Amino acid sequence: MSISEKPPLAQEPALVVDDVVKRFGRGTEIVTAVDHVSFSVQQGEFVSVIGPSGCGKSTLFNIIGGLLSEYEGAVKIGEERISAPHPAVGMVFQEESTFPWRTVIDNVAFPLELQGVAKSERMDRAHHFIDMVGLASFEKAFPSQLSGGMKQRVSIARTLVSQPKILLMDEPFAALDEQTRLLLGDKITQIQQELNQTTLLITHNLTEAVQLSDRIVVMTYRPGQVKRIVDINLPRPRTSDVVGSDAFGHYVAEIWNDLREEASRGMADSESAASRRAAHG
Amino acid sequence: MAETFLRRRGPELFGAATLIASALVFEALIRGGVVNRYIIPPPSDILLAFERVIVEENILTRCRDTAFEMIIAGGASVLVGVPIGVLLYRSALWRRAMEDWIGALAAAPIVLAFPLFLVLFGRSPKTIIVMGFVHGLAPIILKTVEGLASTRTVLINVGRSLKMTQSQMFWKILLPSAMPIIFTGIRLSWTFVLITIVGIEYLINLGGVGQLINELAERYDLPGTYAGICFVILVSVLFFLALERVESWLQPGR
């Protein structure tokens, strides 16, 4: 197994998820989406949360992003418990979220516009991050003129422009084909290393998680609990070439062993729910 | 080169060719006696009547009067309709209470209520403008509500993640996102407004092109009447071209 070339991580975690529980519904209809989940993310670390559909990944994303304020336990940045969107957390959503009425540069500069940053400064900063995601020649283009992958890069640049302490991403490449996903993975790795950006990725894609992460939090199917946390000791700087290595295959196989049982439970659950719906006409 | 020109201008050329072909078919049917020329005059006669209605009947001034009424009534529909739509979007109670009534208003033949408006506002352009305004209001209100309500959740979540205020959320996300649907409402509204204005001008024999069409019809000047109708279409086309310009200015990239 290769030895990690990543510099040693700082002691103080950038983000702590401490015994988080989230339940939906009332009375006998209560569903526990997230069940006593705990892990932390160190400064500059790339952590992925992986699990089958229905394991509470998106719920966790919404809690950490402050979009779900009522939950048990604590998500902490420093000593502060998150119960609303926090300026230290920048969110990238699964769905395409660019503003179709704004050009690429105006999309990316949008958070700075809200902060009242002077136009020349916000354009300079937006330009820097557009360049970083590789869209320098598309600054004046509108989202309708871009591909799905390019739109997601605009969303990532828009999030990074505020220089958040933690980049929180919810399956940002879910709608993209495998090749684009691998190439965008390279771009994300490059940016993350360049900025030493603390990143938490929510995903259900195994290869994506192994390609990008320092650690992977494997979740169980409903109720979502932490099944295992896997250290990924692949060398950095890392590119998509790593997917051809034996070590990569080993990690994928190891995590799939953990996930298979959970994914099977999820599939069986979906099938029985579909049968019940069919039986009730 | 020619291929590019055809690809770009093809639909317009096809539309114009269809119009000319239809006119030629009607010309042939009327001259052949298949269609009665006292019901539909030959297109060539209508074409010849254009000069007469412009020079003798002063139709350009009348178009200006109709356009003025249209601007006031259509503009007021937007200025009043959009804020009402926003209020209904914000209040679920009001929306549930009013939406059906507003839908009914959109479908109501308001033109038939002209005697009531005559009593209220007299035989004046005020009556025409108010009736146009009332008829144009409902589509804008309904489409504003629909547009705001159909804003994608992910865009609202982007706003929430950036800790946007209610006011920022409205002006920077909800309204721009709703704009295409609001413009659909404006297009519908202005169609209603123009129909109502020309219809009331015709009915109360006052004002712009509608009154002229009434007079020409009374004189049984059918080519002149149809030429007048062509000018109504012209006013409509000009308004919708202007609206398209405003729309593409307000919604770049769509």
Side-chain angles (χ1 to χ4, degrees), chain A residues 78-131:
Chain A
E79 288 305 306
E80 202 177 339
R81 184 184 185 271
I82 290 183
S83 57
H86 193 285
V89 180
M91 300 173 80
V92 178
F93 295 86
Q94 180 179 354
E95 281 177 75
E96 194 279 296
S97 66
T98 53
F99 300 125
W101 56 90
R102 283 174 171 258
T103 58
V104 167
I105 194 156
D106 286 339
N107 259 287
V108 175
F110 183 71
L112 304 177
E113 189 182 314
L114 297 176
Q115 291 163 21
V117 175
K119 188 171 182 181
S120 62
E121 190 191 334
R122 67 175 187 250
M123 288 300 144
D124 284 349
R125 280 167 66 179
H127 177 78
H128 172 73
F129 284 97
I130 290 168
D131 205 21

Side-chain angles (χ1 to χ4, degrees), chain B residues 68-69 121-131 204 206-207:
Chain B
F68 173 74
E69 290 160 352
F121 300 101
R123 189 173 167 272
S124 71
K126 230 188 287 179
T127 297
I128 298 168
I129 290 168
V130 171
M131 289 194 70
I204 67 175
L206 179 83

Side-chain angles (χ1 to χ4, degrees), chain B residues 57-76:
Chain B
E57 309 293 348
N58 226 359
I59 197 159
L60 294 179
T61 314
R62 289 170 183 272
C63 280
R64 189 200 60 200
D65 294 346
T66 300
F68 173 74
E69 290 160 352
M70 172 87 192
I71 288 169
I72 303 289

